[in-house]
Amino acid sequence: MFKKVLIANRGEIALRIMRAAKELKIPVVTIHSDADISALHVLLSPESYHLEGVTPSETYLNIDKIIEIAKKSGADAIHPGYGFLSENEKFAKACEENGITFIGPSPSSMKAMGDKLRARELAKKAGVPVIPGTEKPITSLEEAKAFANEVGYPIILKAPAGGGGRGMRLVKSEDELKNSIESAKRESLGAFGDDRIYIEKYLEEPHHIEIQVVADKFGNTFHLFERECSIQRRHQKVIEESPSPFIDNKLRLEIARNGVKIAKAVGYFNAGTIEFLVDKYKKFYFLEMNTRLQVEHPVTELVTGIDIVKAQFKIAAGEKLDWKQENIKQSGHAIEARIYAEDVLNNFNPSPGKIVGLINPSNPGTRIDTGVYQGYTIPIYYDSMIAKLLSYGETREEAINRMLVALNEYRLAGVKNNIVFHKIVMESKNFLEGKYSTNFLNEFDYVSEIKKIRNENIKNVILAASLTYKMMEKDIKSVDEREKSRWKTSGRIESIYKNSFRLLY
Ligand code: ADP
């Protein structure tokens, strides 16, 4: 095993990796930016190095500095987590050149899958169905029009280098095409330094179903079944579950086999995810491959009992996986709700700030992976996901009920967040029945539901506050003036706050 591992990430994922390393008795070193000096991954890390600056490029994306710290601290391995440098082929190469093990796949499979067009070509060659689309980036408006007319609208524009929904545009008719291409190109150039755009047929009411694969360096490739990730906002996942309520066992195994086929075709090792879209006729198509650990990996850990992060360490250290595919079982049901500091009613815009009150839920079958604590200020510079709340049950119903118990007890005060949003999704008819596609949020009036709950809460808070105030006034009458002002600014005010907090999300 490794002498020491450097974790090139922050937040909940840095903690998740740190804990796996601690279990494996591997010493850990972390890094932090100016904005993360008091972050939990730093407080709980035995050794942490400061990177000057706050922007990702100065800090968590700074390849030279990170390699330098790894060497200085004696780390012989780096885990990149997800996001940041996790799919950066140059970084994986830099690790290799400096004699440091990159805990992830080879730079060549990262490269092959890092470009969506190349990945589609590879999938096709491996005999896996891909969504109808252009084979190359489009070079003119005429070419785009011709392809769109051939497959029919709607279509979706995509950046080959894309990720996080950037450079992606849904186009419903020809009059939107010119402007959409221009804005997709602009966005892609800004985000990836590459303005190439290609077209895919837009599948209506599809399901996002992905296969977790884990492979060692000896050619043993396993699948850990699927995750259904169709509850998305702005084409980005917010709720994931396993098993998918949409597919039967036969289809599940067929998609999984195709996932393994793709992983084998790129000589993949370590943990990776092959994403598919499944249309309403249950036809599946390769979407893309993520050559890293996914945010939603705990969903799979809960249903399979396999610790994916520990497996990553072992594979990277050159160990052989002595697993048997037929012994890997998907049992029970797991759901993940991503908790974001965001303003749901304002297009889910990030809403960082100080967490003034926090109660984390903890009931049977609940797992919470989080990087925040009461009093912590969420920085504005990074992703606004602050926790992943997971529930596990023997059945889907039990997992949903446990999730609801947890969401109802979860208190996160001081920043706008999506806890109430998750609650109403869990209680919605379509979710309860497991009948939803990636269209779910377009068809569900979550705004009115949230407003209803919010109005109720505000009423309760005002009631609690006015009751407490009345009690305070009564008490104050019996004490002298000096006492009065002291009470006003200390305990009594605090009790108003506490009562309010009890009712607020
Ligand atoms: P990114 O890498 O930017 O996250 P993906 O290609 O993984 O983008 O797509 C993200 C989501 O966008 C999918 O889960 C799906 O909801 C939607 N999407 C992407 N391509 C299509 C398509 N051809 N048809 C319908 N929806 C799509």
Side-chain angles (χ1 to χ4, degrees):
M1 215 12 111
F2 302 110
K3 282 203 300 250
K4 191 186 263 187
V5 61
L6 182 145
I7 301 169
N9 216 302
R10 62 180 300 282
E12 63 86 24
I13 194 60
L15 283 152
R16 166 74 187 95
I17 296 161
M18 190 194 301
R19 287 166 181 150
K22 284 178 180 172
E23 247 189 82
L24 293 167
K25 312 264 188 289
I26 308 168
V28 167
V29 54
T30 59
I31 54 172
H32 60 273
S33 67
D34 288 352
D36 274 344
I37 286 169
S38 51
L40 203 55
H41 81 272
V42 183
L43 301 184
L44 296 184
S45 168
E47 186 182 2
S48 191
Y49 283 78
H50 179 217
L51 286 167
E52 235 168 83
V54 287
T55 61
S57 58
E58 292 170 303
T59 57
Y60 302 100
L61 289 175
N62 193 335
I63 297 182
D64 292 344
K65 281 265 168 63
I66 293 173
I67 297 278
E68 192 187 307
I69 293 171
K71 286 175 147 176
K72 196 157 64 183
S73 63
D76 54 350
I78 296 184
H79 196 308
Y82 54 69
F84 295 121
L85 293 168
S86 61
E87 291 180 287
N88 188 314
E89 174 211 347
K90 270 197 209 133
F91 181 58
K93 268 200 186 133
C95 289
E96 222 172 66
E97 283 159 15
N98 284 280
I100 298 164
T101 305
F102 175 80
I103 302 182
S106 67
S108 67
S109 46
M110 280 161 93
K111 187 174 177 197
M113 287 300 174
D115 181 295
K116 292 189 187 199
L117 276 170
R118 220 172 350 191
R120 282 166 55 86
E121 202 181 307
L122 200 136
K124 246 194 210 168
K125 271 203 193 127
V128 177
V130 299
I131 303 165
T134 55
E135 278 174 11
K136 294 204 165 77
I138 46 170
T139 52
S140 69
L141 181 60
E142 277 58 48
E143 194 188 325
K145 277 185 186 167
F147 181 81
N149 286 328
E150 192 187 312
V151 294
Y153 288 92
I155 54 154
I156 187 164
L157 305 175
K158 283 191 178 180
R166 283 165 303 178
M168 217 155 73
R169 292 285 181 287
L170 169 62
V171 186
K172 291 187 179 145
S173 65
E174 193 170 299
D175 13 307
E176 296 171 13
L177 192 57
K178 186 167 178 285
N179 282 345
S180 301
I181 293 176
E182 281 166 8
S183 77
K185 273 181 174 288
R186 252 196 322 272
E187 190 173 86
S188 176
L189 187 66
F192 315 110
D194 174 355
D195 76 346
R196 292 173 307 150
I197 293 294
Y198 72 100
I199 303 179
E200 266 176 24
K201 166 83 187 145
Y202 188 76
L203 303 178
E204 293 185 74
E205 297 171 45
H207 282 245
H208 177 119
I209 293 177
E210 58 186 32
I211 302 296
Q212 174 73 56
V213 293
V214 177
D216 64 18
K217 293 179 179 169
F218 304 90
N220 300 306
T221 309
F222 302 93
H223 74 79
L224 272 53
F225 301 92
E226 87 286 10
R227 292 182 291 257
E228 162 85 59
C229 312
S230 300
I231 309 271
Q232 305 180 347
R233 81 259 186 274
R234 290 190 266 117
H235 294 306
Q236 297 301 299
K237 304 158 190 167
V238 264
I239 294 172
E240 300 94 348
E241 63 178 313
S242 183
S244 160
F246 182 63
I247 55 176
D248 60 19
N249 216 26
K250 187 163 167 268
L251 185 55
R252 161 173 302 122
L253 293 178
E254 203 183 331
I255 302 176
R257 265 195 297 272
N258 277 274
V260 169
K261 223 193 260 180
I262 290 182
K264 282 190 177 269
V266 271
Y268 197 83
F269 57 78
N270 217 286
T273 295
I274 297 100
E275 299 187 332
F276 292 89
L277 286 186
V278 184
D279 72 12
K280 56 183 170 192
Y281 309 107
K282 309 224 163 155
K283 272 187 79 175
F284 65 89
Y285 305 89
F286 168 74
L287 181 65
E288 64 163 345
M289 178 168 185
N290 290 323
T291 53
R292 56 171 161 84
L293 185 68
Q294 300 269 108
V295 173
E296 59 273 24
H297 76 276
V299 171
T300 302
E301 294 186 323
L302 290 176
V303 291
T304 60
I306 291 174
D307 185 320
I308 297 173
V309 182
K310 278 202 301 196
Q312 285 194 293
F313 273 104
K314 289 180 183 166
I315 294 162
E319 286 183 28
K320 208 172 185 170
L321 292 175
D322 56 357
W323 303 350
K324 283 204 170 70
Q325 185 65 61
E326 62 272 25
N327 290 346
I328 302 172
K329 297 270 184 287
Q330 186 184 36
S331 66
H333 200 99
I335 304 175
E336 173 177 281
R338 299 189 188 191
I339 308 298
Y340 284 93
E342 66 183 15
D343 187 355
V344 178
L345 297 183
N346 192 6
N347 198 26
F348 299 93
N349 273 343
S351 183
K354 184 170 178 175
I355 298 174
V356 296
L358 175 67
I359 301 171
N360 282 321
S362 164
N363 56 318
T366 297
R367 166 172 166 180
I368 180 157
D369 285 18
T370 179
V372 302
Y373 54 88
Q374 188 162 318
Y376 174 72
T377 299
I378 302 160
I380 57 171
Y381 310 100
Y382 319 110
D383 190 74
S384 62
M385 193 187 76
I386 49 177
K388 304 189 302 206
L389 177 62
L390 289 117
S391 70
Y392 175 79
E394 270 182 46
T395 60
R396 186 168 187 266
E397 193 188 353
E398 188 175 46
I400 293 176
N401 288 337
R402 285 179 162 172
M403 178 60 87
L404 278 168
V405 171
L407 287 168
N408 278 320
E409 283 187 1
Y410 206 162
R411 293 291 183 278
L412 184 58
V415 291
K416 290 193 172 135
N417 62 72
N418 61 350
I419 294 174
V420 170
F421 166 82
H422 281 298
K423 191 169 122 60
I424 62 164
V425 171
M426 295 290 149
E427 285 175 330
S428 69
K429 184 171 175 291
N430 286 351
F431 186 79
L432 287 171
E433 289 176 0
K435 289 185 186 142
Y436 63 84
S437 69
T438 58
N439 242 355
F440 176 80
L441 284 189
N442 299 332
E443 293 158 355
F444 177 49
D445 186 8
Y446 59 91
V447 172
S448 320
E449 293 291 324
I450 289 176
K451 281 186 177 160
K452 251 190 263 164
I453 294 182
R454 185 164 291 183
N455 288 343
E456 199 54 33
N457 268 348
I458 290 171
K459 258 196 285 171
N460 286 336
V461 168
I462 292 172
L463 195 71
S466 72
L467 272 176
T468 319
Y469 188 73
K470 271 186 198 144
M471 279 159 53
M472 182 182 98
E473 284 291 274
K474 202 168 136 235
D475 286 345
I476 282 178
K477 281 199 188 101
S478 61
V479 291
D480 70 24
E481 282 306 312
R482 256 186 34 238
E483 273 290 273
K484 245 189 232 177
S485 64
R486 204 163 62 80
W487 278 29
K488 263 189 181 155
T489 52
S490 61
R492 297 293 145 165
I493 301 292
E494 201 178 298
S495 88
I496 294 182
Y497 161 73
K498 274 186 187 151
N499 273 330
S500 314
F501 180 54
R502 189 164 59 83
L503 294 153
L504 269 182
Y505 284 95

